[in-house]
RNA sequence: GGGUCAGUAGCUCAGUUGGCAGAGCGGUGGACUCUUAAUCCACAGGUCGCGGGUUCAACUCCCGCCUGACCUACCA
């Protein structure tokens, strides 16, 4: 009976015996910590406002002086100090010392004054325990730092580290903004299957599951792409979906097995239109959450001022290799030039160019930058550029060296699409990914899909860049973890 | 997948050459009516990540495993 859990449990039993319910059904505060502080900001030291405010929240720190007690409670807005003295209510002070611990959810009622040290404080007249906390909170000064504990017990993380709550509040605002932004521009938000008979729209290892009644294998989707394009075929002009994708692959500081993706499709638009849409979205998003388009994150600065920087893969690669864009197209010369700078086992011209770009140039793209002119062989679902058949109408957006968005003018030729699926089947067989392709999607294209541009934006990664998080786990409430 | 580092009280962390397991916060008891890391006195609190091994003796050295972080590799 010496550990804290037992001690607190005993207090709980004693409370019940004393006829007090330690888990109240309800309590209605009439304001919150922030509102109180704002409203009474002007009162002077020593001044006492005779009002009756009720706030509730978690009691986080206690300073006991015998005849009086200071404590802070933290609600969903912030924390506020409370003061309870013997003179006012001796029974209540006794109750507090006997039953109340840091961590408890309490409701307090009282008036307002400013202490000698200048803090706006609730002069407590009554206090109720609304929910007893049976565990001690982590240390008040250092808080909860251990990342493993923070992720496994996110509720503790949120209690102890207000900046964590800020990140997820900001995440919510960002997603809301995106929804509104797209809705205002005529995009219809839709939902497409998470359970798919054929995992499609990307090349990634899927999670497999099984439907008992249908007696069939199903896969958690790796992308919603083909379903969204079916909707374009069906006559939706502009659609988007914000949802989870699931990829059965490695976990890194910017990969989580389930992650949130925005995909949007706009018919009668091309990749240029989507770049404009994207930079407008980011510019306004940053201005809305930050007040200005330049975001300062410690030493890092992200500048979303229009227009965003744009660089061409062949230009940068040719420049880096000291050859012309025309010479770059010579596979033999290219392989000779990269010798000693980069190892590759690829024989494909486009793959080598892109590999070189990603390895030597992309990582250093800190400022938001559109990368354009992807080689055809590396972009199987994108249309070729009309003025250069070796490259496609595709872009990726990089921020802090991280790929945040990927968009292109969509292939809508069903014959070409069928051919590409057949080629993918061969590749999958050699990689022992024996799933079938989504042939019905080809059929949909055979009915005619208008010229369309589509884009995917990795929401988690976008939020990382907008909050300065260095790990994707910091922007996902419950990131994937092995059992402890 | 490969490499590096870490895991000790509820939390944050020390722990020397292999020689009794430590501190602060938190807790309990006591003093204290304007503190905010309150202060002061006393006390309690340990599966040293898990399992083997070496040794008179292991938190410490060796082997294996678990969990995490970082780097690297893979990655529409």
């Amino acid at each position: 009976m010496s550990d804290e859990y037992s001690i607190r449990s005993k207090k709980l039993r004693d409370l019940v015996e004393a006829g007090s319910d330690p888990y109240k059904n309800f309590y209605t505060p009439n304001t919150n910590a922030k509102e109180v502080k704002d409203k009474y900001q002007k009162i002077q030291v020593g001044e006492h406002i005779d009002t009756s405010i009720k706030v509730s929240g978690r009691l986080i720190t206690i300073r006991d002086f015998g005849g009086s007690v200071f404590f802070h409670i933290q609600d969903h807005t912030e924390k506020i100090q409370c003061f309870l003295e013997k003179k006012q209510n001796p029974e209540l002070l006794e109750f507090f010392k006997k039953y109340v611990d840091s961590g408890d959810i309490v409701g307090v009622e009282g008036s307002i004054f400013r202490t000698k040290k200048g803090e706006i404080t609730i002069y407590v007249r009554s206090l109720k325990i609304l929910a007893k906390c049976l565990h001690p909170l982590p240390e008040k000064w250092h808080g909860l730092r251990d990342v493993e504990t923070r992720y496994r017990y996110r509720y503790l993380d949120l209690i102890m580290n207000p900046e964590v709550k800020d990140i997820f509040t900001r995440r919510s605002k960002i997603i809301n903004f995106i929804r509104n932004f797209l809705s205002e521009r005529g995009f219809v938000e839709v939902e497409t299957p998470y359970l798919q008979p054929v995992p499609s729209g990307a090349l990634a290892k899927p999670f497999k599951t099984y439907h008992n009644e249908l007696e069939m294998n199903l896969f958690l989707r790796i992308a919603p792409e083909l379903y969204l394009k079916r909707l374009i075929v069906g006559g939706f002009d502009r659609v988007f979906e914000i949802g989870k994708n699931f990829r059965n692959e490695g976990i890194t500081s910017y990969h989580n097995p389930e992650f949130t993706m925005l995909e949007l499709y706009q018919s009668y638009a091309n990749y240029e239109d989507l770049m404009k849409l994207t930079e407008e979205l980011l510019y306004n998003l940053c201005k809305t959450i930050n007040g200005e388009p330049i975001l300062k994150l410690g030493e890092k600065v992200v500048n979303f001022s229009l227009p965003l920087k744009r660089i061409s893969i062949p230009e940068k690669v040719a420049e880096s290799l000291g050859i012309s864009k025309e010479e770059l197209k010579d596979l033999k010369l290219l392989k000779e030039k990269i010798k000693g700078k980069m190892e590759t086992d690829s024989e494909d011209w486009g793959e080598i160019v892109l590999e070189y770009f990603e390895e030597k140039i992309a990582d250093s793209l800190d400022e938001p930058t559109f990368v354009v002119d992807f080689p055809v062989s590396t972009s199987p679902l994108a249309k070729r550029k009309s003025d250069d058949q070796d490259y496609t109408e595709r872009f990726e957006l990089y921020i802090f060296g991280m790929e945040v968005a990927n968009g292109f003018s969509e292939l809508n030729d069903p014959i070409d699409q069928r051919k590409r699926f057949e080629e993918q089947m061969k590749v999958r067989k050699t990689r022992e990914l024996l799933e079938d392709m989504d042939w019905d999607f080809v059929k949909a294209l055979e009915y005619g899909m208008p010229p369309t541009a589509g884009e995917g934006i990795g929401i988690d990664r976008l939020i990382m860049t907008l909050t300065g998080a260095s790990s994707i786990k910091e922007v996902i409430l419950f990131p994937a973890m092995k059992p402890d």
Side-chain angles (χ1 to χ4, degrees):
Chain A
M1 282 298 283
S2 54
D3 65 289
E4 293 199 36
Y5 185 82
S6 309
I7 292 163
R8 285 167 181 245
S9 296
K10 183 169 187 312
K11 289 183 186 178
L12 184 108
R13 286 195 301 275
D14 292 348
L15 268 169
V16 174
E17 271 174 34
S20 172
D21 178 7
Y23 296 103
K24 300 274 189 301
N25 280 31
F26 65 90
Y27 185 89
T28 313
N30 60 14
T31 181
N32 62 56
K34 186 173 190 314
E35 217 172 71
V36 170
K37 285 185 176 178
D38 288 349
K39 186 172 174 189
Y40 297 103
Q41 208 185 344
K42 294 236 167 68
I43 70 171
Q44 302 296 310
V45 170
E47 192 179 349
H48 199 119
I49 308 294
D50 189 17
T51 175
S52 173
I53 64 112
K54 284 172 84 177
V55 299
S56 57
R58 189 178 298 276
L59 199 155
I60 48 171
T61 53
I62 300 173
R63 291 168 296 282
D64 184 352
F65 285 83
S68 69
V69 173
F70 287 93
F71 54 94
H72 274 94
I73 64 175
Q74 176 176 277
D75 67 12
H76 67 282
T77 59
E78 54 181 80
K79 58 183 184 176
I80 186 162
Q81 183 168 258
C82 303
F83 180 64
L84 174 56
E85 63 177 347
K86 198 170 189 174
K87 188 173 76 185
Q88 210 291 133
N89 188 339
E91 294 80 21
L92 185 60
L93 184 68
E94 199 184 322
F95 173 86
F96 185 93
K97 290 187 177 194
K98 202 166 172 186
Y99 297 115
V100 177
D101 291 299
S102 65
D104 292 354
I105 306 290
V106 298
V108 300
E109 183 276 330
S111 50
I112 293 296
F113 74 111
R114 192 183 284 277
T115 62
K116 287 175 186 168
K117 294 285 168 65
E119 181 162 351
I120 293 168
T121 301
I122 299 172
Y123 186 78
V124 177
R125 285 192 293 249
S126 83
L127 177 146
K128 288 191 168 68
I129 297 176
L130 307 179
K132 187 75 193 149
C133 174
L134 294 176
H135 294 280
L137 292 180
E139 205 233 19
K140 63 183 171 186
W141 185 239
H142 298 93
L144 183 62
R145 289 273 83 89
D146 180 69
V147 288
E148 190 174 343
T149 312
R150 285 184 46 230
Y151 299 151
R152 287 189 195 283
Y153 304 98
R154 185 66 97 177
Y155 46 89
L156 281 182
D157 190 24
L158 290 165
I159 292 168
M160 298 308 296
N161 301 313
E163 68 278 10
V164 173
K165 217 167 101 191
D166 288 346
I167 287 178
F168 291 100
T169 306
R170 188 177 276 210
R171 178 177 174 124
S172 168
K173 283 183 183 150
I174 290 167
I175 292 173
N176 275 334
F177 179 90
I178 294 172
R179 280 211 161 87
N180 291 335
F181 180 90
L182 292 174
S183 296
E184 279 165 15
R185 281 159 185 76
F187 285 83
V188 175
E189 182 170 10
V190 297
E191 293 178 89
T192 63
Y194 281 43
L195 295 173
Q196 302 182 350
V198 177
S200 61
L203 198 68
K205 288 181 200 138
F207 288 91
K208 205 170 172 176
T209 186
Y210 182 76
H211 191 287
N212 294 336
E213 186 71 16
L214 295 177
E215 295 184 333
M216 69 184 288
N217 287 326
L218 285 168
F219 300 88
L220 297 184
R221 74 175 183 199
I222 55 176
E225 174 154 354
L226 302 195
Y227 286 89
L228 291 171
K229 284 197 271 198
R230 279 174 168 90
L231 298 179
I232 298 292
V233 171
F236 277 105
D237 185 38
R238 300 172 178 203
V239 293
F240 75 99
E241 178 167 10
I242 294 174
K244 289 271 181 80
N245 288 349
F246 304 85
R247 297 187 182 177
N248 206 341
E249 288 170 354
I251 298 172
T252 75
S253 53
Y254 49 98
H255 291 93
N256 197 61
E258 53 180 299
F259 60 100
T260 304
M261 184 80 137
L262 160 68
E263 281 202 16
L264 62 92
Y265 291 84
Q266 177 175 352
S267 52
Y268 308 106
N270 66 12
Y271 78 129
E272 287 281 354
D273 298 313
L274 286 194
M275 278 192 277
K276 277 191 203 105
L277 182 84
T278 304
E279 60 188 3
E280 207 184 312
L281 169 70
L282 293 174
Y283 176 85
N284 286 294
L285 173 56
C286 188
K287 256 178 81 169
T288 301
I289 62 164
N290 183 54
E292 53 172 357
I294 299 169
L295 187 61
K296 295 183 185 76
L297 300 160
E299 288 175 10
K300 287 179 171 177
V301 175
V302 200
N303 188 345
F304 290 106
S305 300
L306 300 180
L308 294 185
K309 234 169 100 178
R310 190 179 291 199
I311 65 171
S312 155
I313 292 173
E315 257 175 41
K316 284 288 166 187
V317 172
E319 187 188 299
S320 167
L321 293 173
I323 53 179
S324 74
K325 274 172 72 179
E326 286 68 35
E327 288 170 321
L328 182 67
K329 290 189 176 182
D330 182 343
L331 178 60
K332 246 176 86 180
L333 178 65
L334 172 64
K335 289 180 78 170
E336 205 169 287
K337 283 284 178 186
I338 63 164
K339 209 168 277 176
K341 294 182 178 174
M342 185 187 81
E343 296 285 318
T344 180
D345 45 17
S346 177
E347 289 297 319
D348 180 83
W349 169 80
E351 276 182 18
I352 296 173
V353 169
L354 186 59
E355 231 176 279
Y356 184 87
F357 177 81
E358 286 180 345
E359 195 163 312
K360 300 291 174 193
I361 298 160
D363 281 358
S364 58
L365 296 175
D366 282 348
E367 285 179 80
T369 306
F370 285 118
V371 172
V372 294
D373 300 339
F374 283 74
V376 164
S377 63
T378 62
S379 313
L381 292 177
K383 283 195 165 176
R384 292 171 198 266
K385 288 184 80 171
S386 48
D387 60 349
D388 191 336
Q389 295 286 302
D390 293 326
Y391 299 103
T392 53
E393 293 195 354
R394 175 181 172 194
F395 68 89
E396 283 188 350
L397 177 67
Y398 277 81
I399 307 176
F400 292 132
M402 194 165 59
E403 182 195 331
V404 171
N406 177 22
F408 40 84
S409 307
E410 300 288 339
L411 184 69
N412 62 344
D413 175 348
I415 296 157
D416 198 355
Q417 183 69 76
R418 184 181 296 280
K419 213 166 70 194
R420 290 179 191 285
F421 273 6
E422 280 161 359
E423 279 162 16
Q424 270 198 37
M425 282 294 285
K426 287 181 208 154
V427 175
R428 289 194 181 196
K429 274 187 181 135
T430 62
R431 292 176 53 177
E432 294 180 24
L433 293 162
L434 291 171
E435 288 85 38
D436 205 356
M437 302 304 292
D438 187 351
W439 301 111
D440 178 71
F441 171 68
V442 179
K443 189 174 175 186
L445 287 189
E446 286 170 348
Y447 279 93
M449 182 174 82
T452 298
E455 174 177 5
I457 296 179
I459 295 295
D460 310 289
R461 290 182 179 181
L462 176 64
I463 289 161
M464 283 172 72
T465 67
L466 292 174
T467 58
S470 58
S471 166
I472 200 167
K473 288 186 164 77
E474 294 293 346
V475 302
I476 293 176
L477 279 166
F478 300 100
M481 303 283 277
K482 282 202 187 184
D484 197 6

